[in-house]
Amino acid sequence: MALTDLLQQNRYWSESLRARDPDFFKRLAALQKPDYLWIGCSDSRVPANEVVGMMPGELFVHRNVANMVVATDMNLLSVLQFAVEVLKVKHIIVCGHYGCGGVRAALSHKEFGLIDNWLRALKALYHQQRDLFEGLGEDARVDRLCELNVLRQVRNVCHTTIVQNAWLEGRELCVHGWIYGLEDGLIKDLETTICSAAQLDDTFLYEL
């Protein structure tokens, strides 16, 4: 598909929305006030807004390879701080997906370049939980690590001072772990929602 085709599709999309709601873009340009921050994978098969049926302006989004929450990632932390402190979101969703290429790369012994450094924490997670992978085939191991990764990243979000400060202020804020199925388009709730510092291990609590 040529770039001109993308521009044409954009015009069609814009015109279709304005036909249904002539003031849509005027309202959108004036303010964004989403209740949700989505932390997902960069994979092109998982378009955040579309899989949850939301329109532009309803979902604040950060994406990276394998939906990682890394303590030294200033990009992620800046998005998180803006979402929590400025937009005042009420829900943070960490959403991974089955069959993730980043997770599969982390489970391999191949060298992929710079991305190997990014995925090192996934290798460590696999090593820490390797008893959970006994007897599983390759695809099943990938999917299991995809789930475990979401659970870990939910906790990593909660371990930040950004989220803990919000709780200290009495803010309504919950962090959720979901995973998306590429084969059926359905999202599974991994039932790991955290809504207060009381749900965390004392090791990761700050005296703020």
Side-chain angles (χ1 to χ4, degrees), residues 39-43 62-70 94-97 100-106 115 118-119 122 145-146 149-150 153:
I39 299 174
C41 183
S42 298
D43 195 300
H62 175 83
R63 297 170 70 179
N64 62 53
V65 175
N67 44 272
M68 302 289 286
V69 178
V70 179
V94 178
C95 188
H97 66 94
C100 179
V103 172
R104 191 178 297 276
I115 191 67
W118 180 254
L119 299 175
L122 275 173
L145 188 55
C146 288
N149 182 43
V150 169
Q153 304 317 320

Side-chain angles (χ1 to χ4, degrees), residues 18-204:
R18 282 181 288 157
R20 294 197 302 261
D21 183 353
D23 295 324
F24 177 79
F25 287 106
K26 290 181 181 179
R27 291 196 309 273
L28 197 63
L31 179 70
Q32 71 160 333
K33 195 169 176 58
D35 286 329
Y36 309 91
L37 166 62
W38 174 283
I39 299 174
C41 183
S42 298
D43 195 300
S44 61
R45 298 168 294 178
V46 194
N49 285 69
E50 292 185 33
V51 301
V52 288
M54 285 188 167
M55 296 292 288
E58 296 180 327
L59 192 68
F60 198 56
V61 177
H62 175 83
R63 297 170 70 179
N64 62 53
V65 175
N67 44 272
M68 302 289 286
V69 178
V70 179
T72 55
D73 181 1
M74 294 299 105
N75 188 346
L76 177 280
L77 293 176
S78 297
V79 170
L80 180 63
Q81 183 173 25
F82 189 80
V84 172
E85 298 182 4
V86 179
L87 297 178
K88 308 291 186 184
V89 299
K90 296 180 180 178
H91 301 275
I92 299 170
I93 300 163
V94 178
C95 188
H97 66 94
Y98 291 119
C100 179
V103 172
R104 191 178 297 276
L107 281 172
S108 79
H109 296 285
K110 296 179 182 178
E111 179 185 342
F112 294 94
L114 183 63
I115 191 67
D116 297 325
N117 300 283
W118 180 254
L119 299 175
R120 189 169 298 151
L122 275 173
K123 284 185 175 291
L125 178 58
Y126 173 73
H127 178 73
Q128 293 161 6
Q129 305 285 347
R130 57 190 180 278
D131 57 313
L132 299 178
F133 296 85
E134 291 182 7
L136 299 180
E138 180 182 350
D139 289 343
R141 285 192 299 127
V142 169
D143 288 348
R144 183 61 179 136
L145 188 55
C146 288
E147 293 178 339
L148 293 175
N149 182 43
V150 169
L151 300 180
R152 175 61 58 87
Q153 304 317 320
V154 165
R155 299 234 160 225
N156 286 349
V157 170
C158 296
H159 293 163
T160 65
T161 54
I162 298 166
V163 168
Q164 292 191 32
N165 266 316
W167 285 332
L168 186 66
E169 294 168 5
R171 291 267 313 283
E172 177 187 347
L173 180 63
C174 290
V175 186
H176 313 269
W178 292 357
I179 193 159
Y180 176 78
L182 294 174
E183 295 185 354
D184 58 14
L186 296 177
I187 292 173
K188 175 183 176 182
D189 185 348
L190 294 177
E191 299 180 357
T192 185
T193 296
I194 299 176
C195 297
S196 74
Q199 294 174 260
L200 302 179
D201 187 284
D202 288 347
T203 303
F204 297 98

